[in-house]
Amino acid sequence: LTSYLCHFPIDTSTKQYQTTMVLFLLYMKADLENVESVALQLDANLCLNVRNPLSDYETREKVVLNPSEFVEQDESSRENPHHFSLKWDGSKKASTMTILDAKAIKTALKKKKGVSSPKNYGADDSGNWSPILAAECRGIEPFAFFPMGNNDFVVTSTGGKEFTEDVELGEGDWADYDDETDEPVSMSEIEFKWEAV
């Protein structure tokens, strides 16, 4: 499994990084055989590494969050709902990450020309990078993604059979058999990366 580092330059002199929203897309790349689509489940636990955009050494590794669960906040809180938050050393304000739904993605990408919306990874994407998830980040950068293997992905074969159990992509490949079409179904060279857009 390969992850790529990404760093979005932010003006550190004003400390605006904690209120400035940066949109990050999670990209997937894989070689598909007899696979029509690969879908990240909307309620899947996501495991990722994050870092402080002002400091490459200040990181949190293998943070787990769930896009279907928001962080509980006080009623007096003025922060937007989010899925993950933390305070970096010396910071007065929490840094947050929110996984965007389809409506929020459409709004966020409205002014971003040439950027594809996240979608299921399909047969036409085989061998190419394609976005599968979007995250709105304030004062935090995701830089690695780790599939957890807890049925977080659903694979649909070209014959229409859905594979929902034991779809573990963390080893870089996955294979099964579609007994309805009598064909092997597989994914290889699986990679993920985060990019700021």
Side-chain angles (χ1 to χ4, degrees), residues 152-178:
D152 40 359
F153 287 91
V154 174
V155 176
T156 304
S157 72
T158 51
K161 181 176 180 178
E162 283 191 355
F163 297 87
T164 58
E165 294 181 13
D166 301 322
V167 179
E168 297 185 19
L169 307 185
E171 297 298 317
D173 58 12
W174 171 86
D176 210 315
Y177 189 77
D178 185 345

Side-chain angles (χ1 to χ4, degrees), residues 12-13 23 33 40 55 63 67 72 78 98 100 106 116 123 130 134 158 172 188:
T12 60
S13 63
L23 184 66
E33 178 187 7
L40 181 60
S55 167
V63 171
E72 288 187 33
R78 292 188 286 172
T98 306
L100 302 181
K106 186 176 180 180
S116 299
S130 183
T158 51
S188 59

Side-chain angles (χ1 to χ4, degrees), residues 118-170:
K119 61 181 182 59
N120 293 344
Y121 193 83
D124 294 341
D125 300 314
S126 184
N128 298 302
W129 290 107
S130 183
I132 61 170
L133 182 77
E136 180 182 273
C137 301
R138 297 178 191 282
I140 196 168
E141 284 185 359
F143 68 93
F145 175 76
F146 306 95
M148 294 181 58
N150 296 339
N151 304 323
D152 40 359
F153 287 91
V154 174
V155 176
T156 304
S157 72
T158 51
K161 181 176 180 178
E162 283 191 355
F163 297 87
T164 58
E165 294 181 13
D166 301 322
V167 179
E168 297 185 19
L169 307 185

Side-chain angles (χ1 to χ4, degrees), residues 44 66-68 76 79 85 104 107 113 119 122 127 169 178 180:
N66 189 309
S68 65
S76 62
E79 292 180 347
S85 69
T107 302
K113 298 195 187 297
K119 61 181 182 59
L169 307 185
D178 185 345
E180 295 170 16

